Amino acid sequence: MKLLRFWPWLAAVTSGLLCAACFPPLDQGWLCWIALTPLILAVWFSGQNTRRRWLRNLLLGYVAGIAFFTAGFSWLGALGDLYQNFFLHSLSFLLSIYLAVYLAFWAWFAGLIRPVSFVSSSRNLLVAFLGAAAWVTHEWIRGWMFSGFGWNGLGVALHRNWPLIQAAEFTGVAGLSFVIAFTNLIVVAVPVRLFAETKLHRMRPHFDLTLTMIALVALFAFGLHTVQNPPPTKTLRVAAVQGNIPQLQKFDPRFTSEIFDKFSRLSEIALRADTPPDLLVWPESSMPDPVRDQNSQSYQFIRNFLASVNSDLFLGTLDFEGDHDYNAAVLFSNGGERMQFYRKIHLVPFGEYIPTRKGFPLFAAIAGTWVPGDFTFGKDYAVLSLTNDGIQIAPLICFEDTVGELVRQFVLRNADLLVDITNDGWFLHSAASQQHVANALFRCVENRRPMVRAANTGVTCFIDQFGRVTQILRDDTGNTFTEGVLTGLVEAPQTRQLTFYARHGELFAQSCALVTAIAILIVVALRRLGRGD
């Protein structure tokens, strides 16, 4: 009997682990439809006699968040293997201490709106609507607060279910998270209602379940219709090179010649084809020193390489200007005579800069092991023009392809094609690269633009405007952690039509946040009136 007292906490942990299992490496997306139910049951049906039940609900959500984010982002521990640092193995847990706060808020809110009775369809639908709005709210805030880390929103669990994700062109991933959270709440409410009606010997129509099922079928049908009626496109031949260069060798002068030889050799495979690519893409920081510095080895290598190449070349490079260092990308056209630059806007905290470097010298000294200096934030959403048929590309670097609000800024500036260059080599052969792609492909659906991804160690792939991975670089065993070149055709839109999401961004998520704030004010006010305060 004593063990039964712990069931709510075990339920909270179970929800966290089920949520983590929705994403790579397990990638069991179907679990998202029930992942929240143990936590909801714990919040709604335990601790009735607890003096501060609201605090208990907060803690239940926090425990679920610790389990979710520690397990889901366990790949951060690969940095400990890379740098042989014990402290870095605990990064996922340390990050979860902060991120779990958001899930704690949702559990508190779920307790706040718990219905007294479950026998009303309209009440159950209202509770599910408010709970889903609150879920979207916490994911949205997590995506921008303190620079943001919005990976693995619940809607991302549907990344392989291409019919259901097409609604993201209106709502972004937030709309998919709303549907999943809504369904989880209904999944709990309906059986409880059936049990109550059985005891009362009084059955009513279950409009709550019926309407939920109709909504899911409608979303699926909309997705099928959208994909079967694609807009007109124009074809671009692209080759993406994956060098598979170990992270600790990328900027080591002893490996400079080897790096040059590898990119030259792999690129020649695509360039020798009967129809050479219009665009050749190399990954983030592919060159060991700045290509704009005329005294650098990379500059000389690129000049020699482009002397006999007619394709445009897009690559990642370091860039220096005065006292500022940038993570940058450059597009070479016309044999290298024309250069277009982009400097990364969305830098990764504790990866590309240390936010507390000046304020906390001791921490800065420790963090300096893996981030010795800070990059400077870029400012311009520079859309780069290809020489082929006037196609313009959105130059994205690394995790920028996971930030919806950033990507749409390029589309608003007439980008036809999203090109992401990334280096997930920091995380070795972990699930980081798979999760990266799962989060990134929604930018294609949101904006109806295809994406080319060139990675250092994986995953290099092409994604169409419906979020489907059309080609992916693998070796003979199916492994994405390999060197090679991926060549194929990418279909860019003929007309630069803007989706609702491209025009309005996270309007749906912001509306959910407004609804959540109003609901909190109303419920708190009603409870105070009920107590006679």
Side-chain angles (χ1 to χ4, degrees), residues 477-505:
T477 66
N479 189 5
T480 60
F481 299 104
T482 182
E483 70 173 54
V485 57
L486 182 67
T487 303
L489 302 177
V490 176
E491 301 295 330
Q494 281 190 6
T495 58
R496 290 169 179 158
Q497 294 181 348
L498 297 177
T499 62
F500 184 90
Y501 180 88
R503 292 195 302 269
H504 303 288

Side-chain angles (χ1 to χ4, degrees), residues 125 179 182-183 186 207-217:
L125 288 169
V179 171
F182 186 99
T183 303
I186 291 296
F207 295 116
D208 44 6
L209 178 61
T210 303
L211 292 175
T212 301
M213 296 303 296
I214 290 175
L216 290 175
V217 172

Side-chain angles (χ1 to χ4, degrees), residues 254-274:
R254 293 175 298 175
F255 297 94
T256 296
S257 297
E258 181 180 328
I259 291 172
F260 291 159
D261 291 342
K262 180 172 289 190
F263 278 101
S264 180
R265 172 174 52 83
L266 293 174
S267 298
E268 284 297 325
I269 296 174
L271 294 171
R272 287 199 303 266
D274 293 337

Side-chain angles (χ1 to χ4, degrees), residues 36 38 79 113 143 180 191 234 249 261 366 381 439 466 492 510 530:
L36 300 181
L79 288 169
I113 61 173
I180 295 172
K234 49 190 173 183
Q249 295 181 13
D261 291 342
I366 298 173
Y381 296 94
N439 283 269
F466 303 113
Q510 293 161 0

Side-chain angles (χ1 to χ4, degrees), residues 270-289:
L271 294 171
R272 287 199 303 266
D274 293 337
T275 306
D278 302 298
L279 175 64
L280 180 64
V281 186
W282 295 352
E284 176 188 13
S285 301
S286 52
M287 294 292 96
D289 49 14

Side-chain angles (χ1 to χ4, degrees), residues 103-122:
L103 200 47
F105 158 77
W106 185 77
W108 168 81
F109 184 87
L112 191 70
I113 61 173
R114 177 190 182 276
V116 177
S117 170
F118 292 87
V119 296
S120 168
S121 288
S122 59

